[in-house]
Structures are given as structure tokens and as C-alpha cells.
Amino acid sequence: MIVGDLGAIARARSSPDFAMLELDGVLSIWLWLGLGFQLSTGAVLFWRLAQGKNRPRPLQPEWAPPEWAGKVTVLLPTLNEVKRLSPCLAGLTVQTEEVREILAIDSYSEDGTVASIEAAIAQDPRFHLILYDPDSDRWVGPSGALQTGFLRSSPESEWILRVDADTYPRPGLVASLLKAAIASNYDLLSVSAQFILKYPGEVWFHPAMLITFAYRFGAIGKRANSPDRVMANGQCLLCRRHVLEQLGGFAIARDAFCDDMKLARHAAKQGYRVGFLDGSKVVRVRMYEGVRETWREWGRTIGVRDASHPWQLWQDVVFLLAVQGLPPLILGFYAIAVPRSLLFQWPHVGLWSFNLLLMLARIAMLWAIAPYFDRTQAKAPWLFWLSPLADPVVWLRVLISALRPPKQWRGRRY
């Protein structure tokens, strides 16, 4: 009897139906684990997004009072910028008496960049040209040029403002930064910009890139809960002179492609007050031309690799996979491949419904970030609203950035 029962069990276990039941059981366990993981990461995401309702209003153009005259030195690092430099030079020219000097530090450009700077010097005596040889110290990116400019800046300037060549400063930018920094007692303050989009690929791709920062670091203006979560944007970054002196200038970022975050987080760790505010009303930026350049250049910084601990970097990679990379894929899989009879069985119903919630939150984020993009010149502006479909590709770019350290900046290899 016992032998017969064992034989029947053995025959049952070898049948295709039993194998399918075993497979379903294993699959169900993995689905439950996946759902639990997404629920926990999604809770973190929704908590971060909820902080956005209390974020400060965007900075507005301001006009400096007479006592602010000469308080700021602007540092403008350049390298082969002739195609995009003119709006930056024009925007700096219209800044008022609070700007004492504008130091353009050129790394021996091979185009007409120096000629453009010399033309600006002829119109505005606050402009000065400094030549910097990047081969002299092999600092990564613009840090060496910034350090050279800082060391040659006027000691009478109480503030140092770093501006990138791809920015379009609006009138009243510098005064608005000064007002915000003084009012909130910031030692270092940077702002987000409004991105100018033109070509279809970047209209579709760029918003998804920006969302990765919103998901990881929360709302603009929200104070970071630790120095390692501080956000910064080197396109427009203001720092007190004496603080920068205490920090050793830009030396902390000498080997960092993500130099702005490295400097800001170092300042926060030293106890200085660091702020990141909405500057979309006072500065615009034209970062990259087309999706290919967007993919390549964003990849240097999107992982924040050289300003993060390895555990933090990979925590962010996994987090973004759960809340941004997977939802479009999971919803697509359920729409195409899963039988309707399974859609309302657990854990399937929990998995697709929560990913639908994540996707709806992602679509709602498009309305929140829309003011940060100027699409008036875009050839296919409607692609902005389809950017959630780019999320899996953008997550792949974050993963590649985490795995492969950058080695090139503006054509120079390190």
C-alpha cells in the first residue's frame, strides 16, 4: 500500500500539470516579493513628492540696492563655446552694479570663443580674459579653470558666482541670488534653470532625465536630511568668498566630473548652509544639441558617481529601477502578454494596479516640471508628454553611468 502510494505521488509529480503548478508557485512568490519591494520604494517616493507642496516659490528678478555694489565676482569657464556663448555674455552684461568683475577663464579654445570674449571686453570693462592651460595640472572638467579664476579674483568681492557658458542669464539674476542667499543665510546657493529644448529626441528624453533627480532628492527648496543628499547645479552657483577660501576653493572637485555636487556636499559636511532653489524665472540653459549629445553628456553626471558613496549610488540605481524604470515595462507586459483571467487574481492585481499608480504619479510630475522647460522652439513639443515611455531607457543610462566612470569632458580625455 505504501509503495503504491509513493508510486502514485511520483507519477503525479512527473506530470506536466504538477510541473506547471510548481512553476506557478515559484512565480507567485517572486511576484509577491516584487510587489512588496515596489510598495516599500513607492512609499519613499510618495513621501518625497509630498514635500513638494511646501517648496519655495521660484526666484524672481531683483534689483540690487546701492550698498550691494561690487559684491560679486562672476567666474565663467569656457572651452570651445563659440556656438552658444553669445547669450551668456549678453545676459551677464545686463547685470547691474552688484557685479564687480566677470572673469572668463578660457582653456585654450580652438574656435572663436576668445574672440567673442574680447568683443564683450570692448563693450563692458567688467569682463576680463584669463587663459588657463588644463594640461598644467590635469584637473577634471572646469574645476582647474574655476580655481585659477578664484585665485585671481578681487579680494573686495564678498561673493563668487560660477556661471556656465551654456546659460542665458536674465536681467536681475545676480541680485535675486544675493537677496535669497542673504535672506536665508546661505553660504552656498545654486538654482535650477529652465531648459531650452529644440529637437524631438531631446524633448522626449530630457524630461525623463530630470525626473531621476526629483525622484532621488525630492522637491527643489527642500532641505536635505543629510549632506550626502544635497543637490547643486554648477550652471549657476553662488558662494561666500570666505567660505570658498576655507574650503580651499574648488580643489575638492579636482578629480570630479560632478564637480558642483562634490563642492556643495563637501561644504555641507563642513557645517555650512547649502541651498538649492527654483531659478527657472531668472536663468535659462541650452545644454545639449540633440538626443545623442544628451545621452552622452548627461551620462557624466546623472549617476552622481563621484559625489556619492558607492552604497548610496547603488541604492539610487535600485530605487529608480523600482519606481521609474519598471512601471512602463510591467504595464506593457500586462497589457500584451497576461491573460485577462489572471488580471484580477492576487498578486497580479496588486502588481499592475500599483504600477499604474506609479505611472499616474509620473504623468502628474510632467505638469510639475513643465515650467522648467522652454518648448517654444521645439520641433515636436508634444513629445514632452510622452517622456514617461523613455523612463526604462533613462534608467539604463543611470545604470551605465554607475558601472562605467566617465573619462571625457568636452573632448578632453582623463
Side-chain angles (χ1 to χ4, degrees):
M1 177 70 69
I2 294 176
V3 173
D5 290 343
L6 291 175
I9 292 173
R11 287 191 297 274
R13 290 183 62 86
S14 64
S15 69
D17 290 342
F18 193 88
M20 184 61 67
L21 287 173
E22 280 191 323
L23 179 62
D24 287 346
V26 172
L27 179 62
S28 179
I29 291 173
W30 280 106
L31 290 176
W32 277 111
L33 289 174
L35 177 59
F37 174 61
Q38 281 197 300
L39 286 172
S40 60
T41 54
V44 174
L45 172 66
F46 290 127
W47 179 83
R48 289 176 180 170
L49 297 182
Q51 311 304 308
K53 64 181 180 179
N54 298 319
R55 66 183 184 274
R57 294 169 57 87
L59 298 182
Q60 301 296 322
E62 301 284 350
W63 306 109
E67 58 268 24
W68 287 2
K71 281 187 174 290
V72 180
T73 287
V74 177
L75 302 182
L76 173 63
T78 59
L79 174 59
N80 298 327
E81 313 282 4
V82 69
K83 293 182 178 179
R84 56 183 180 178
L85 184 58
S86 294
C88 181
L89 297 176
L92 291 175
T93 298
V94 299
Q95 305 304 313
T96 50
E97 292 81 4
E98 69 277 9
V99 175
R100 174 184 299 274
E101 57 186 357
I102 304 167
L103 306 183
I105 311 99
D106 186 73
S107 299
Y108 288 92
S109 295
E110 298 175 349
D111 57 3
T113 296
V114 171
S116 297
I117 296 170
E118 289 173 342
I121 293 173
Q123 296 180 1
D124 188 337
R126 294 177 298 176
F127 279 95
H128 303 276
L129 174 63
I130 299 173
L131 294 178
Y132 162 72
D133 181 5
D135 293 326
S136 63
D137 52 30
R138 301 300 293 174
W139 284 22
V140 169
S143 298
L146 290 166
Q147 182 76 344
T148 299
F150 172 57
L151 295 177
R152 294 182 58 175
S153 63
S154 170
E156 301 298 321
S157 296
E158 298 178 19
W159 296 83
I160 302 295
L161 172 62
R162 176 247 177 106
V163 173
D164 280 359
D166 55 7
T167 59
Y168 293 29
R170 293 181 182 272
L173 164 66
V174 180
S176 71
L177 295 172
L178 268 180
K179 181 178 180 180
I182 293 172
S184 299
N185 197 31
Y186 287 124
D187 297 301
L188 185 150
L189 172 65
S190 65
V191 296
S192 64
Q194 185 184 54
F195 300 95
I196 301 171
L197 302 180
K198 292 185 179 180
Y199 302 111
E202 65 190 71
V203 174
W204 179 65
F205 203 58
H206 201 133
M209 292 283 197
L210 188 65
I211 284 292
T212 66
F213 289 96
Y215 276 15
R216 282 178 284 177
F217 304 114
I220 292 175
K222 171 183 169 289
R223 186 163 186 177
N225 54 14
S226 77
D228 290 324
R229 304 307 289 177
V230 162
M231 265 292 291
N233 178 19
Q235 293 166 333
C236 188
L237 186 149
L238 180 73
C239 188
R240 295 181 190 270
R241 180 183 189 85
H242 74 87
V243 170
L244 203 52
E245 290 172 342
Q246 292 293 321
L247 296 174
F250 297 90
I252 187 65
R254 64 186 304 162
D255 60 349
F257 285 89
C258 198
D259 58 286
D260 46 4
M261 299 276 275
K262 190 76 175 281
L263 175 64
R265 290 180 175 183
H266 178 61
K269 289 175 182 178
Q270 304 306 310
Y272 294 109
R273 185 171 171 81
V274 177
F276 182 64
L277 300 178
D278 183 347
S280 59
K281 301 293 185 183
V282 291
V283 62
R284 297 189 299 160
V285 61
R286 174 68 183 146
M287 287 180 67
Y288 309 124
E289 297 292 330
V291 68
R292 186 173 299 178
E293 189 176 350
T294 302
W295 171 271
R296 183 180 68 248
E297 298 299 329
W298 258 114
R300 288 186 296 103
T301 57
I302 193 170
V304 200
R305 180 190 176 101
D306 46 22
S308 305
H309 295 295
W311 66 265
Q312 183 187 65
L313 172 66
W314 287 105
Q315 182 185 58
D316 285 346
V317 169
V318 174
F319 175 78
L320 289 175
L321 173 65
V323 299
Q324 187 177 3
L326 284 179
L329 299 178
I330 290 175
L331 290 177
F333 179 76
Y334 272 98
I336 297 171
V338 177
R340 292 184 179 274
S341 59
L342 295 178
L343 289 180
F344 294 97
Q345 297 181 19
W346 288 93
H348 296 284
V349 64
L351 197 59
W352 69 257
S353 60
F354 188 69
N355 278 275
L356 179 60
L357 178 62
L358 289 171
M359 184 58 71
L360 291 175
R362 172 66 174 84
I363 294 171
M365 282 294 294
L366 286 174
W367 295 96
I369 68 173
Y372 300 100
F373 293 94
D374 179 352
R375 292 171 285 133
T376 57
Q377 305 175 54
K379 295 183 177 180
W382 52 271
L383 284 172
F384 172 85
W385 302 105
L386 297 182
S387 67
L389 300 179
D391 285 356
V393 183
V394 167
W395 176 81
L396 177 63
R397 190 66 187 95
V398 175
L399 176 63
I400 293 172
S401 181
L403 289 170
R404 189 181 303 165
K407 297 179 180 179
Q408 183 172 314
W409 177 77
R410 298 286 176 82
R412 296 186 185 271
R413 297 190 65 83
Y414 300 89

